[in-house]
């Protein structure tokens, strides 16, 4: 019996050889065939496919993302489903042909910095053995040694730094990647493996609309990449970066962004604290944004962080008349 099945992706003019244990998304991205996706772990539903011919193994696709009715209707999650036989599939999400897509590959590198930058937050810098091409805002999966599983972490560096990847990692108590590896056994000088790039959260094109960027905790990471990339290439007329934390100890890279704001007239930096009095903005970061803008009509937003923060931000921005199609988001959803 063959070790792979042939999978034709309609709309992409691509036919892939997909391993029996390999997800359809993994094979597609390695062949540079784009299937819209976000979390790569079965929690968001962005990667839904219509299976037009053949049968898939849904593996651990959760019912809350892919209901029994959807399975019966021939839908599957590309990030988890593997082929049981040759397939013809069609992504349900729209593919934006104007966005450059970068082939998914495996990488190795050496940890050159591992430092505590805020409460329960580490900066991890990896010097890769070869360049990684990606769009500002995308992420990689770091492979947890011994466990053989990956966890998603967004690049905080701009694509122009293709060998030196910067990640911001928040501690999840008891977490396999963060607690048991990155915050305990990992050291500077260690060699690590990762794969990427992934994700549809990005800023790649010149845009006429001013942008509001809102990050909660380590949700700052992809926004830092986007801000640096946008300023390097003069892509956005005005950028307002909001970073929310509870206390002063939750904020990081304050000096970096303050200096950047001094350097670039079009960049504005607003750190905000919800539980400590200080001389900066106070309150939930989304409320601070709403106080600053009477109308967000004609503006765009890039949001990143925990799902409740994103939901609150979307609601507030819509109330301020921002067009939903101009609200882009990356949710740091945990695996359940
Ligand atoms: P796990 O072993 O996966 O989890 C341990 C337990 O904690 C589980 O029960 C799990 O359900 C629960 N849990 C995990 N996370 C949370 C949470 N946030 N809130 C409540 N319970 C939780 N994280 C970053 O710090 N920086 C990033 O740049 C980043 N980028 C991401 C990009 C994407 C697209 C996604 C989907 C996630 C991203 N994350 C990021 C989250 C990250 O991938 C891991 O989920 C997180 O670090 C926890 O992994 P872990 O292996 O330590 O914990
Ligand atoms: Fe597949 Fe999120 S469910 S990418």
């Amino acid at each position: 019996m063959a070790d792979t099945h042939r999978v034709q992706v309609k709309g992409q003019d691509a036919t892939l050889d997909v391993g029996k244990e390999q997800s359809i998304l993994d094979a597609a991205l390695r062949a540079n065939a784009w299937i819209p996706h976000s979390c790569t772990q079965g929690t968001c539903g962005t990667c839904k496919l219509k299976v037009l011919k053949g049968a898939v193994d849904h593996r651990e696709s959760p019912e809350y993302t892919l209901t029994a009715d959807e399975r019966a209707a021939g839908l599957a999650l590309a990030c988890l489903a593997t082929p049981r036989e040759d397939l013809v599939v069609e992504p349900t999400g729209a593919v934006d042909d104007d966005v450059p897509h970068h082939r998914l590959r495996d990488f190795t590198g050496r940890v050159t910095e591992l430092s505590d930058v805020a409460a329960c937050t580490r900066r991890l810098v990896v010097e890769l053995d070869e360049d990684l091409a990606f769009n500002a805002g995308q992420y990689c999966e770091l492979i947890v040694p011994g466990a053989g599983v990956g966890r998603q972490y967004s690049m905080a560096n701009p694509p122009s730094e293709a060998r030196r990847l910067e990640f911001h990692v928040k501690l999840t108590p008891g977490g396999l990647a963060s607690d048991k590896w990155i915050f305990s056994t990992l050291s500077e000088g260690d060699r690590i493996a990762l794969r990427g790039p992934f994700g549809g959260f990005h800023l790649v094109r010149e845009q006429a609309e001013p942008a509001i960027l809102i990050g909660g905790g380590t949700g700052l990471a992809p926004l830092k990449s986007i801000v640096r990339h946008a300023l390097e290439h003069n892509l956005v007329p005005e950028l307002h970066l909001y970073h929310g934390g509870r206390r002063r100890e939750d904020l990081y890279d304050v000096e970096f962004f303050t200096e950047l704001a001094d350097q670039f007239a079009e960049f504005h930096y607003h750190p905000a604290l919800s539980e400590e009095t200080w001389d900066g903005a106070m309150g939930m970061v989304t409320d601070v944004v709403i106080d600053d803008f009477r109308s967000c009509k004609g503006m765009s937003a890039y949001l990143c962080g925990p799902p409740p923060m994103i939901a609150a931000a979307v609601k507030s921005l819509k109330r301020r008349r921002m067009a939903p199609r101009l609200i882009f988001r990356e949710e740091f959803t945990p695996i359940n």
Side-chain angles (χ1 to χ4, degrees), residues 25 36-47 65 77-80:
L25 181 68
H37 64 280
S38 179
C39 71
T40 60
Q41 60 182 17
T43 48
C44 74
T46 314
C47 66
T65 315
L77 298 179
C79 68
L80 293 177

Side-chain angles (χ1 to χ4, degrees), residues 113 117 122-127 134 138 153-158 161 163-169 220-222 224-225 228 252-253 256-257:
E113 184 188 331
V117 291
R122 286 195 158 176
R123 187 191 320 279
L124 164 62
V125 178
V126 181
E127 192 73 32
F134 67 98
Q138 285 193 295
Y153 294 101
S154 307
M155 276 72 84
N157 55 294
E161 295 173 5
R163 279 248 172 150
R164 180 200 165 275
L165 302 188
E166 173 185 340
F167 302 101
H168 303 162
V169 182
L220 182 66
K224 185 176 181 184
S225 176
R228 293 189 60 197
Y252 61 95
D253 283 348
F256 175 84
F257 287 113

Side-chain angles (χ1 to χ4, degrees), residues 66-83:
L66 188 72
T67 63
D69 285 350
E70 287 176 316
R71 286 167 207 234
L75 291 175
L77 298 179
C79 68
L80 293 177
T82 54

Side-chain angles (χ1 to χ4, degrees), residues 139 151-154 168 170 172 175-178 218 332 334-335:
Y139 67 90
R151 287 286 188 273
Q152 304 83 347
Y153 294 101
S154 307
H168 303 162
K170 179 95 185 160
T172 297
L176 183 69
S178 60
T218 47
F332 284 0
I335 287 185

Side-chain angles (χ1 to χ4, degrees), residues 21 128 170 190 244 250 288 307 320:
E21 300 296 315
L128 294 178
K170 179 95 185 160
D190 283 2
D250 296 326
V288 173
R320 286 286 188 262

Side-chain angles (χ1 to χ4, degrees), residues 146-271:
V149 296
R151 287 286 188 273
Q152 304 83 347
Y153 294 101
S154 307
M155 276 72 84
N157 55 294
S160 56
E161 295 173 5
R163 279 248 172 150
R164 180 200 165 275
L165 302 188
E166 173 185 340
F167 302 101
H168 303 162
V169 182
K170 179 95 185 160
L171 176 73
T172 297
L176 183 69
S178 60
D179 198 358
K180 295 186 179 147
W181 178 42
I182 296 168
F183 278 78
S184 54
T185 59
L186 187 67
S187 304
E188 287 180 5
D190 283 2
R191 293 200 51 83
I192 69 167
L194 54 94
R195 57 179 168 247
F198 292 100
F201 182 68
H202 49 63
L203 191 156
V204 289
R205 279 180 301 225
E206 197 173 339
Q207 63 173 62
E209 311 87 26
I212 298 174
L213 302 93
I214 309 175
T218 47
L220 182 66
L223 305 184
K224 185 176 181 184
S225 176
I226 286 175
V227 164
R228 293 189 60 197
H229 181 66
L231 293 175
E232 272 174 17
H233 298 277
N234 208 8
L235 296 179
V236 184
E238 218 170 326
L239 289 152
H240 298 268
L241 173 66
Y242 288 83
H243 187 209
R246 277 181 295 196
R247 310 180 64 79
R248 183 66 188 80
E249 63 187 20
D250 296 326
L251 296 177
Y252 61 95
D253 283 348
V254 174
E255 211 172 303
F256 175 84
F257 287 113
T258 305
E259 282 174 15
L260 210 59
D262 288 343
Q263 214 181 325
F264 292 90
E266 70 270 39
F267 175 62
H268 311 277
Y269 171 54
H270 314 267

